[in-house]
Amino acid sequence: MRSAYRSFGIAATLVSVGGFLTYVLMSSFAAGLMNQSLIGHLTIGLTLGLGQFVLMGVTIWLYVRHMQRRIDPVTHRLRAQARHIASSGRRSRTW
């Protein structure tokens, strides 16, 4: 469970933080590119800035889907085992 959580968490963090960091660095060092007009007053920088919201939304959606498929079933099984042990009167070892 820990490895499944960590592997996805690292990938999701790299994508979301990496996307935002790329946007910030491009805003700082490629201002000419970011100020180019696409349609009317809509610039590349504004489009990429709005794309950050989409990237975060997709990352959150993938995170929730991953947790529901991989982590929640394991958690439910562990809780059921803990309830079974508690109801049978046995003591679980905690050390």
Side-chain angles (χ1 to χ4, degrees):
M1 182 164 87
R2 184 178 294 170
S3 66
Y5 178 77
R6 283 187 181 166
S7 65
F8 185 81
I10 289 170
T13 302
L14 287 177
V15 168
S16 59
V17 173
F20 181 72
L21 187 61
T22 302
Y23 173 73
V24 170
L25 289 174
M26 286 181 69
S27 295
S28 297
F29 299 111
L33 173 70
M34 299 293 270
N35 286 328
Q36 287 185 357
S37 178
L38 287 177
I39 301 169
H41 295 290
L42 185 64
T43 62
I44 293 175
L46 183 59
T47 304
L48 290 176
L50 293 174
Q52 293 298 311
F53 290 106
V54 175
L55 180 66
M56 291 297 166
V58 169
T59 303
I60 291 168
W61 175 71
L62 289 174
Y63 179 80
V64 169
R65 191 180 77 167
H66 175 77
M67 289 297 150
Q68 288 174 344
R69 288 185 179 178
R70 301 271 173 114
I71 304 298
D72 287 350
V74 175
T75 304
H76 293 306
R77 277 193 305 246
L78 288 173
R79 284 184 184 155
Q81 286 178 351
R83 275 190 227 117
H84 178 70
I85 289 171
S87 67
S88 67
R90 291 187 295 171
R91 293 182 140 195
S92 63
R93 293 183 190 174
T94 56
W95 61 87

